Amino acid sequence: MNANHHESSDLSRTRITLRGPAELADALPFVLGFHPTDSVVLVALHGEHGRFGGRVRLGIPRSPREWASTADHLAECLVEGGSRSGDRPDGIVVFLCQDPAAGETGRRVMERLRPFAQRLRTACGALDIPVYEALCISDGLFFSYCCPDARCCPPDGTPLALSGTTVMAATAAYAGVQVRGSLRDMERRFQPSGGPREEEQRAALDASAAALVPRILEDAEGEGRAAVRETTLSLARAVLRRFARPKGEAGPTGGSGGPTGPSAVRGGVAGTVESDAADDALVETGEAAALILGLQDRVTRDRAAEWMEGWEGTAALRLWRVLARRCVAPYQEHAVAPLTLAGWTAWSTGDEPTARVALGLALDIDPEYVFARLLHQACNEGLDPESLRSCLRTERDSRTATDEAPGASPRVRTRLARPQSSRQTLRKAGSRTGGAERRSSAGVRPGGPAAGKPRSGSPSRGGQRGTRSGR
């Protein structure tokens, strides 16, 4: 589930009055930062003027048998999240967004989803929170489940306003807020695209799994595991610098780019197919495989999370995207680590829509992945990422000081590398870590041929304690 309890832009400081269902429907993409696709969204309202507050988003379950439990869960998530922050909602607006199937009309979609809308209304009412409006958005139209007035909400639907022509669009443009396209488009940037190189990447992952997984699965103090960790981080640093400048330019710490240099953005407008293809060309298949397998180690992943700001943050987000796209079948589950790192880096650098999408994808693959769960809830509850950034900086400085101290042993350095304080900071968001984080000694998920259990094409919903889910 994607949930957000924090305004993602300067719109949170701008007062905008929305009048009626039409303006509510137009405002939704600006509230989320993208056009929700096949989604149910609940937005909390506060005070007598209905100020927008927290919101939760989830894909619409395909089976109507799941609608009742989904409605109860979403209502509880939104209301309990607000109660924890001391801002219980006074009302809720419901949105159901789904494109018509072949041969289906927008009105047919609205009628098909009507029982789900009613179940959402009763679930919120059971928590003593009224639903002020419930809208279905489909095929360029919006329909109201609450308004009986055919003059403003005709049964055949009302066309959505033209893009960029409303008060909300003008205010968002003034505030510098951008809608990133559809949710499906944003998710696609983190998913394998297929093509002729997919088989080559699969072969490289097989080879890396056979070589690295046995070494990573050594006990926590094993020399092989520590060596893989350092090799992975060294390779990641080298690759990271490729994303900081075009070939032949000065490095990120010198030359015209500077430490936060403008050369950190290359290959055209960020977010385009062309720029993603250019990023993919910067990482060889063997390098991608070694990094993907190496990041299955929890400590390695946490060390990589230190690349979170300035030119490093910009470059790291692009690198994690590339690695997530390289997790081809049967290695889809290995994408959880780069997806979580992408979510953290995006959140740290102020890109909350991308953070929510990346973390949502990670939790779709493994709902029990502790680091993603903690980050997801912290982002949703509007915590300041600076608290975690500060912890990671402290861990990095402490490790650097230890490495430079005379007589420091590799074993001591390995122990200090684990950022315990980062987990403690995120725990303040009210998340439950479970016991998995403590029970997992290896902190890795063996997968692929090296583990003797080739993965299927379908991602696992759970995972086992002490493996990938335990991190």
Side-chain angles (χ1 to χ4, degrees):
M1 178 184 65
N2 274 345
N4 177 41
H5 297 283
H6 177 60
E7 295 293 342
S8 60
S9 68
D10 287 340
L11 283 175
S12 61
R13 307 187 192 99
T14 305
R15 184 168 181 169
I16 307 168
T17 301
L18 303 178
R19 299 177 177 85
E23 294 188 358
L24 278 174
D26 176 69
L28 182 60
F30 298 100
V31 171
L32 296 177
F34 52 84
H35 292 277
T37 309
D38 194 30
S39 298
V40 50
V41 182
L42 273 61
V43 179
L45 302 178
H46 301 275
E48 60 177 322
H49 298 294
R51 173 180 54 84
F52 276 9
R55 56 262 196 194
V56 294
R57 189 211 65 85
L58 186 67
I60 296 176
R62 294 184 179 181
S63 172
R65 290 191 296 269
E66 300 178 30
W67 288 355
S69 60
T70 299
D72 292 340
H73 176 67
L74 285 172
E76 291 172 2
C77 179
L78 183 60
V79 174
E80 289 178 3
S83 298
R84 279 196 299 268
S85 62
D87 202 9
R88 180 180 172 86
D90 296 304
I92 291 175
V93 176
V94 173
F95 298 89
L96 294 173
C97 308
Q98 190 172 74
D99 293 330
E104 197 175 32
T105 64
R107 180 169 182 176
R108 176 59 187 147
V109 172
M110 181 272 291
E111 294 293 351
R112 176 168 51 79
L113 295 177
R114 184 182 292 275
F116 189 24
Q118 183 59 33
R119 191 63 185 83
L120 287 161
R121 295 173 69 183
T122 57
C124 296
L127 299 174
D128 296 324
I129 308 293
V131 172
Y132 292 148
E133 182 60 273
L135 299 177
C136 177
I137 300 175
S138 180
D139 198 24
L141 305 169
F142 74 84
F143 306 80
S144 173
Y145 291 111
C146 297
C147 179
D149 191 343
R151 292 173 298 179
C152 62
C153 298
D156 289 329
T158 305
L160 294 170
L162 293 176
S163 177
T165 63
T166 64
V167 173
M168 186 72 177
T171 305
Y174 179 78
V177 177
Q178 294 182 343
V179 177
R180 313 297 182 87
S182 72
L183 173 63
R184 188 177 294 117
D185 292 336
M186 294 183 71
E187 290 178 337
R188 193 176 293 121
R189 298 191 66 198
F190 291 101
Q191 296 168 339
S193 58
R197 296 195 64 186
E198 188 167 301
E199 185 58 40
E200 181 183 353
Q201 186 62 66
R202 185 179 298 109
L205 285 164
D206 288 345
S208 290
L212 299 181
V213 168
R215 301 173 67 192
I216 295 176
L217 288 178
E218 290 183 3
D219 62 275
E221 307 299 338
E223 293 183 3
R225 188 176 183 211
V228 171
R229 181 176 300 149
E230 294 305 321
T231 300
T232 301
L233 291 169
S234 295
L235 175 60
R237 290 188 194 97
V239 174
L240 196 70
R241 291 179 178 274
R242 300 176 197 168
F243 289 85
R245 67 191 189 279
K247 185 176 180 181
E249 286 191 9
T253 57
S256 60
T260 58
S263 59
V265 179
R266 67 179 295 271
V269 179
T272 64
V273 175
E274 292 77 11
S275 64
D276 284 345
D279 285 349
D280 285 330
L282 295 176
V283 186
E284 298 177 0
T285 55
E287 294 172 330
L291 291 174
I292 290 167
L293 269 297
L295 287 173
Q296 305 310 305
D297 173 63
R298 183 177 61 205
V299 178
T300 306
R301 179 206 66 195
D302 291 348
R303 292 266 298 273
E306 295 171 1
W307 302 322
M308 57 191 172
E309 50 196 340
W311 75 267
E312 288 183 334
T314 303
L317 177 56
R318 292 162 59 194
L319 173 58
W320 307 144
R321 266 204 190 98
V322 170
L323 296 184
R325 290 195 293 266
R326 297 293 185 87
C327 292
V328 300
Y331 292 90
Q332 297 100 322
E333 293 184 350
H334 288 68
V336 179
L339 284 170
T340 302
L341 287 169
W344 156 240
T345 306
W347 182 40
S348 176
T349 54
D351 187 355
E352 291 187 17
T354 297
R356 292 193 295 273
V357 170
L359 294 171
L361 288 172
L363 292 173
D364 283 345
I365 298 173
D366 182 6
E368 301 301 321
Y369 196 80
V370 176
F371 191 30
R373 287 172 57 194
L374 294 177
L375 288 171
H376 195 243
Q377 183 146 0
C379 181
N380 293 342
E381 295 193 356
L383 297 186
D384 187 349
E386 177 57 29
S387 59
L388 179 53
R389 284 196 296 258
S390 178
C391 290
L392 290 174
R393 292 189 202 103
T394 300
E395 292 290 340
R396 180 179 57 198
D397 294 343
S398 175
R399 187 179 61 253
T400 301
T402 302
D403 289 346
E404 294 175 353
S409 68
R411 177 169 297 185
V412 172
R413 289 196 295 268
T414 299
R415 287 198 187 104
L416 290 177
R418 178 178 297 179
Q420 299 283 356
S421 56
S422 66
R423 294 199 300 274
Q424 293 167 1
T425 300
L426 285 179
R427 201 170 293 138
K428 294 177 182 178
S431 296
R432 295 171 296 176
T433 62
E437 186 87 25
R438 294 183 296 273
R439 285 194 294 270
S440 174
S441 60
V444 299
R445 170 181 45 78
K453 295 183 179 180
R455 301 283 179 180
S456 67
S458 301
S460 168
R461 298 295 302 176
Q464 299 181 1
R465 299 292 183 184
T467 58
R468 176 175 53 89
S469 298
R471 292 172 297 160

